[in-house]
Amino acid sequence: MTLTVGEIITALRSRLEISRGIKLPPLYKQILVASGPLISTISLGMTSGFSAILLPQLENETSIEINRSDASWIASMAALPMAFGCLLGGLLMEKFGRKATQLLTNIPCLIGWVLIALSSNLPMVLTGRFLTGLCGGLLGPSTGVYISETAEPRYRDFLLGAISLFLAVGLFLVHLLGTFLHWKTTAIICSFFPIVSFFLLVLVPESPSWLAKNKRISDAEKAFFWCRGDTEASKKEVAVLTQRQNMKNEEPQLAQLVKKEFLKPLIIITVFIVTNQWAGVNALTFYTVTIMQKTLTNGLDTYLAMLIVDLIRLLMSVLACIIMKHVRRRPLAIISGVGTFTSLFILSGYTNFVKLHPDLGTFWYTIIPMVSLVAYISFITVGFVPLPWAMMGEVFPLNTRNVGSSISSFMAFAAFFAVVKTNPAMFDVLGVDGTFLVYGMVAFWGTVFVWVFLPETKGKALHEIEDQMAGR
């Protein structure tokens, strides 16, 4: 007897549920649904952090010779296609579904890492970096949207917060591996994560919201009940979802894009997420060792400092998941912003002081920038980094969610590329102190913006957030 792919997948799901006679509770199913996209996010974190261990190793090798310009392109090549990947990712998740987009993205991501591992020249490295960066952009819109549309409000905060956690896991792993292993060996290990993500995604259903939007009501109900359980609360939410979708399908797409419930969250999330990027977090991610060498005068090994910062980022990402489950969005964003710009101002002032008084660069003066860097990573990771990506999957109406998440992700990754590409030039022209001052000023005005405009979405169903954005 020949089985179709669909029958095999169904059999795998059934086998997963009836194993040892235990049926998975809704929480475990929602974690399983989120696990595939989150494993892909580890690969994205590895992509972002890979240049920090690749560039120092290439400087000591003769197999692939690079100059300063080549190093800048290697670092920024992953960021270059991310913005355009977001637009393509938005189209794909609208046409084929949120889960299907995640599945497809793992294939070029795997190819990219294999290319890097087999590289014998600069074009191969750049091509591999381009592919893995493109996949990061493809994942941008769909990851938060897919998790938001499959998770209950009481678990959504934690699961969305896990996006930044798994990104931090990827950064820490690639830096840890690259500290002790050759960059090609590190790339081979990185290639396993898209494979794991692919097989996890095979086991779970498509987004119920996407199925309902495409008038597959029966499939939407099955997927919703599979994720949430067949409870009265689930039945009521499914009824609201299908009823609203039937009403909105009659509206022209352009009419929906000029409505307040779309434009208001688009402006808020775009400003928030661009501010996030220009606060400099990815400049530190891509040029960790270089920045450490410029900031720490002496007394502390830069690679050890890099791993300390990565570990702090990882621990704070875990804390962010916990905090987002208990603390409202607005106070968390404001506290995070204040801590971010304060630590950047201290870094700027310190590096300017050392520039004027180089004879004072003792070990104790090295502690000041190290503590400031740790504070910076801690504050930005606990709020400014996870919140805009988490809220992106919440604040847009269903019918325009793909457009809103694609545009805001595009703007985020465009700013991402600009920050990574301009960081070396900013260090040359403005100095370390001037660069940190610019990042700090952006974080300051971003904090003022979220204090005034950021909505509160914690614990609300997606249709309730939509009504809030529309002023209903």
Side-chain angles (χ1 to χ4, degrees):
M1 181 177 66
T2 303
L3 294 176
T4 66
V5 175
E7 289 171 336
I8 293 173
I9 292 173
T10 301
L12 284 170
R13 288 184 193 155
S14 300
R15 180 63 181 168
L16 184 67
E17 289 191 20
I18 64 176
S19 177
R20 298 181 184 179
I22 301 173
K23 192 170 183 177
L24 289 175
L27 172 59
Y28 293 170
K29 287 185 177 180
Q30 290 167 49
I31 292 174
L32 179 62
V33 170
S35 61
L38 292 175
I39 295 297
S40 295
T41 304
I42 292 180
S43 185
L44 175 57
M46 289 179 151
T47 298
S48 299
F50 191 72
S51 63
I53 58 98
L54 172 63
L55 295 179
Q57 290 192 32
L58 286 180
E59 290 175 358
N60 299 318
E61 290 186 11
T62 57
S63 57
I64 301 178
E65 296 185 359
I66 62 170
N67 54 36
R68 185 178 178 84
S69 176
D70 294 334
S72 174
W73 277 111
I74 289 173
S76 58
M77 183 56 71
L80 176 63
M82 286 182 178
F84 299 99
C86 290
L87 299 180
L88 179 58
L91 294 173
L92 289 175
M93 77 172 186
E94 183 65 14
K95 178 68 175 178
F96 301 107
R98 287 54 160 142
K99 170 193 164 182
T101 300
Q102 293 276 331
L103 277 168
L104 291 171
T105 300
N106 283 304
I107 298 172
C109 186
L110 173 61
I111 295 172
W113 282 117
V114 172
L115 265 177
I116 293 172
L118 299 177
S119 292
S120 58
N121 52 58
L122 181 60
M124 288 183 70
V125 174
L126 293 176
T127 303
R129 293 282 289 161
F130 183 90
L131 282 175
T132 53
L134 176 66
C135 292
L138 292 172
L139 292 172
S142 61
T143 300
V145 170
Y146 185 45
I147 293 174
S148 292
E149 292 179 347
T150 52
E152 295 178 56
R154 56 178 171 165
Y155 303 135
R156 193 173 67 226
D157 302 324
F158 177 82
L159 293 174
L160 287 172
I163 296 175
S164 63
L165 167 60
F166 279 70
L167 185 68
V169 169
L171 287 168
F172 177 73
L173 282 178
V174 78
H175 287 167
L176 180 64
L177 293 169
T179 299
F180 301 103
L181 301 175
H182 190 269
W183 59 270
K184 288 189 176 183
T185 306
T186 302
I188 292 173
I189 296 173
C190 292
S191 69
F192 284 100
F193 289 90
I195 298 173
V196 174
S197 173
F198 185 92
F199 283 103
L200 285 171
L201 283 161
V202 166
L203 299 174
V204 297
E206 182 55 84
S207 160
S209 298
W210 182 83
L211 292 169
K213 183 177 180 181
N214 286 271
K215 298 186 181 298
R216 295 168 56 181
I217 304 303
S218 177
D219 291 336
E221 291 176 347
K222 289 178 183 177
F224 196 96
F225 294 145
W226 191 92
C227 295
R228 305 280 194 90
D230 190 5
T231 64
E232 287 301 319
S234 296
K235 292 176 181 178
K236 289 179 181 178
E237 194 167 341
V238 166
V240 172
L241 173 67
T242 55
Q243 180 184 9
R244 289 192 171 206
Q245 193 53 47
N246 288 333
M247 293 170 59
K248 290 182 179 178
N249 278 334
E250 300 172 0
E251 294 182 307
Q253 180 75 14
L254 183 60
Q256 298 172 40
L257 295 179
V258 297
K259 284 189 169 184
K260 179 181 179 181
E261 56 259 44
F262 173 75
L263 293 177
K264 181 179 177 181
L266 177 65
I267 294 170
I268 292 172
I269 294 299
T270 298
V271 173
F272 192 9
I273 210 164
V274 169
T275 298
N276 168 305
Q277 296 298 326
W278 274 102
V281 64
N282 283 306
L284 180 60
T285 299
F286 273 64
Y287 299 104
T288 306
V289 173
T290 303
I291 290 176
M292 292 295 181
Q293 290 169 344
K294 291 178 179 291
T295 306
L296 305 179
T297 52
N298 57 48
L300 189 62
D301 180 79
T302 52
Y303 282 87
L304 174 61
M306 175 182 69
L307 292 177
I308 291 173
V309 169
D310 285 343
L311 185 59
I312 294 296
R313 190 199 318 262
L314 180 60
L315 293 174
M316 294 308 295
S317 296
V318 174
L319 182 60
C321 292
I322 299 171
I323 290 176
M324 285 179 65
K325 186 171 175 57
H326 297 94
V327 179
R328 291 177 297 134
R329 305 282 198 255
R330 283 177 49 78
L332 180 58
I334 294 169
I335 293 170
S336 173
V338 170
T340 298
F341 71 70
T342 300
S343 54
L344 283 169
F345 288 158
I346 293 173
L347 277 170
S348 176
Y350 164 81
T351 50
N352 181 262
F353 180 79
V354 169
K355 184 168 62 175
L356 298 175
H357 303 87
D359 55 312
L360 296 178
T362 64
F363 175 77
W364 290 108
Y365 283 97
T366 300
I367 292 296
I368 296 174
M370 191 65 224
V371 171
S372 298
L373 282 170
V374 168
Y376 167 68
I377 288 296
S378 299
F379 279 108
I380 201 169
T381 301
V382 83
F384 256 43
V385 169
L387 281 175
W389 292 101
M391 296 180 71
M392 188 189 300
E394 297 178 323
V395 296
F396 295 108
L398 174 57
N399 264 25
T400 54
R401 194 167 291 154
N402 68 306
V403 179
S405 58
S406 297
I407 293 174
S408 48
S409 297
F410 173 85
M411 294 301 297
F413 284 119
F416 184 167
F417 173 75
V419 170
V420 172
K421 193 72 178 75
T422 59
N423 179 263
M426 289 179 68
F427 274 145
D428 290 342
V429 176
L430 301 177
V432 179
D433 54 332
T435 302
F436 284 140
L437 180 62
V438 170
Y439 293 157
M441 290 302 298
V442 173
F444 172 79
W445 288 112
T447 304
V448 173
F449 178 85
V450 299
W451 175 57
V452 176
F453 296 107
L454 192 71
E456 187 57 65
T457 61
K458 178 174 171 52
K460 298 180 180 179
L462 296 182
H463 66 269
E464 293 174 336
I465 298 172
E466 183 177 339
D467 290 341
Q468 178 185 356
M469 292 292 104
R472 293 194 287 265

